[in-house]
């Protein structure tokens, strides 16, 4: 689930197309998939870009001509983590939990050629739609598994991936079983030495779900930071928050610089400020977890 911004970001390799795909002349498309009604809407500013919505909730934005374009704010923040987890251009092994339109997998493939990526997307009808209408560039090492994110994570070998990105939504809510200490422990187990875990979540108001998620990740990882719009952090609007966690120090200063220079300005919380943010929050477990909150009416309009 994401909020769109009109700014482009990221490294600037040459834009590529090479495999066709749906054109704006064909207009929008609606089709039932496993998770609801999927809609592909042409982006009014970019002639080869499409937004994917599920039951009206924005999920992904893909530019077929430029896979380095990340149109949603939360995707750009996750893009910062993809950029910084290893030296520029070095191939990565990435596990994406939640696929959508495969925006971040496309970004990784474009900015880090020869990366090996696996995507867990339970909605096989959605994957079929995306492959048909928004096809991947040929030669990309991106394997999509039609399975529940947690079941794929459970089968991921120990110490095998550089980056785990959790962006799991059922409609506009993150399922409870992907928000727990047990789930996070599985992610930590999958990471190679020096690897990072990242999660996109959504919350609003007093941010009880986000605070619990900080406590949950903090029960597994010693290093944490949170990236979000200041208005979301102040409880002024419902929106996305990106969490990053690792067993080694995160590049907080560079993340802060990038988040502050983005057109959709974000704040990075870490250290004592993040401890204060989560004060009193209880980690979620398989026995106690609940899905992320339902967005308020009209939040996407």
């Amino acid at each position: 689930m994401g909020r769109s911004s009109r700014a482009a970001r990221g490294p600037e390799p040459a834009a590529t197309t090479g495999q066709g795909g749906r054109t704006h002349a064909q207009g929008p498309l609606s089709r039932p998939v496993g998770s609801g009604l999927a809609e592909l809407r042409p982006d009014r500013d970019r002639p080869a870009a499409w937004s994917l919505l599920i039951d009206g909730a924005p999920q992904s934005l893909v530019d077929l001509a430029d896979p380095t374009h990340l149109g949603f704010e939360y995707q750009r923040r996750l893009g910062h983590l993809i950029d910084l987890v290893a030296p520029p251009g070095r191939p990565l092994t990435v596990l994406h939990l939640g696929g959508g339109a495969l925006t971040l997998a496309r970004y990784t493939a474009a900015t880090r050629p020869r990366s090996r990526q696996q995507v867990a997307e339970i909605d096989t009808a959605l994957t079929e739609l995306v492959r048909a209408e928004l096809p991947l560039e040929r030669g990309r090492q991106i394997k999509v598994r039609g399975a529940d994110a947690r079941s794929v994570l459970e089968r991921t070998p120990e110490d095998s991936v550089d980056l785990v990105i959790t962006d799991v939504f059922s409609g506009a809510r993150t399922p409870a079983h992907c928000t727990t200490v047990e789930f996070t422990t599985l992610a930590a187990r999958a990471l190679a030495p020096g690897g990072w875990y990242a999660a996109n979540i959504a919350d609003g108001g007093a941010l009880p779900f986000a605070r619990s998620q900080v406590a949950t990740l903090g029960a597994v990882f010693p290093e944490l930071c949170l990236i979000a719009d200041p208005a979301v952090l102040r409880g002024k609007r419902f929106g996305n928050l990106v969490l990053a966690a690792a067993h080694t120090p995160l590049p907080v200063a560079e993340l802060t610089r990038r988040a502050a220079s983005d057109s959709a300005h974000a704040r990075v919380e870490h250290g004592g400020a993040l401890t204060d943010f989560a004060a009193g929050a209880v980690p979620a477990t398989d026995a106690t977890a609940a899905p992320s909150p339902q967005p308020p009416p009209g939040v996407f309009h």
Side-chain angles (χ1 to χ4, degrees), residues 87-154:
R90 198 194 86 182
L92 297 175
T93 301
V94 184
L95 175 61
H96 301 266
L97 302 176
L102 309 175
T103 304
L104 291 168
R106 298 170 199 261
Y107 178 85
T108 304
T111 59
R112 295 181 176 276
R114 302 182 307 283
S115 290
R116 297 174 62 234
Q117 301 186 78
Q118 183 175 189
V119 180
E121 175 53 67
I122 195 170
D123 191 336
T124 55
L126 174 61
T127 298
E128 290 171 4
L129 174 66
V130 168
R131 286 192 180 278
E133 302 293 341
L134 309 176
L136 292 165
E137 187 175 347
R138 292 184 181 89
R140 301 305 195 191
Q141 297 184 62
I142 300 172
K143 183 174 184 178
V144 182
R145 291 188 178 276
D148 174 76
R150 181 153 171 174
S151 69
V152 171
L153 187 58
E154 288 170 345

Side-chain angles (χ1 to χ4, degrees), residues 24-293:
H24 283 198
Q26 294 174 276
L29 173 68
S30 298
R31 184 174 299 170
V33 295
S35 50
L37 180 66
E39 299 176 73
L40 293 177
R41 295 182 184 173
D43 185 273
R44 67 175 183 265
D45 293 332
R46 302 178 71 90
W50 294 85
S51 291
L52 168 68
L53 299 88
I54 304 292
D55 288 339
Q59 301 289 327
S60 304
L61 189 147
V62 168
D63 190 333
L64 293 175
D66 181 8
T68 69
H69 173 72
L70 299 178
F72 287 172
E73 297 166 9
Y74 87 86
Q75 290 178 333
R76 292 201 297 280
R77 291 160 193 163
L78 289 168
H80 299 324
L81 298 172
I82 294 168
D83 293 344
L84 295 173
V85 69
R90 198 194 86 182
L92 297 175
T93 301
V94 184
L95 175 61
H96 301 266
L97 302 176
L102 309 175
T103 304
L104 291 168
R106 298 170 199 261
Y107 178 85
T108 304
T111 59
R112 295 181 176 276
R114 302 182 307 283
S115 290
R116 297 174 62 234
Q117 301 186 78
Q118 183 175 189
V119 180
E121 175 53 67
I122 195 170
D123 191 336
T124 55
L126 174 61
T127 298
E128 290 171 4
L129 174 66
V130 168
R131 286 192 180 278
E133 302 293 341
L134 309 176
L136 292 165
E137 187 175 347
R138 292 184 181 89
R140 301 305 195 191
Q141 297 184 62
I142 300 172
K143 183 174 184 178
V144 182
R145 291 188 178 276
D148 174 76
R150 181 153 171 174
S151 69
V152 171
L153 187 58
E154 288 170 345
R155 296 195 299 271
T156 300
E158 187 174 357
D159 299 337
S160 63
V161 298
D162 300 305
L163 181 63
V164 175
I165 298 176
T166 298
D167 188 15
V168 182
F169 283 85
S170 177
R173 306 180 74 182
T174 301
H177 70 293
C178 295
T179 68
T180 68
V181 169
E182 292 87 346
F183 178 90
T184 306
T185 300
L186 290 170
R189 175 183 173 276
L191 291 175
W196 296 356
Y197 175 70
N200 173 46
I201 62 173
D203 202 1
L207 304 174
F209 179 74
R211 297 176 195 278
S212 174
Q213 286 301 285
V214 171
T216 300
L217 268 62
V220 177
F221 291 100
E223 302 289 336
L224 298 175
C225 72
L226 180 153
I227 313 169
D229 186 309
V232 174
L233 290 172
R234 292 195 300 268
K236 299 297 184 182
R237 72 171 179 86
F238 190 94
N240 296 83
L241 305 95
V242 168
L243 287 161
H247 288 292
T248 55
L250 295 161
V252 171
E254 179 59 17
L255 281 170
T256 300
R257 186 192 69 78
R258 291 183 180 223
S261 63
D262 190 274
S263 61
H265 171 73
R267 203 165 80 212
V268 178
E269 298 285 8
H270 64 98
L274 190 57
T275 299
D276 291 343
F277 173 84
V282 176
T285 68
D286 284 349
T288 63
S292 65

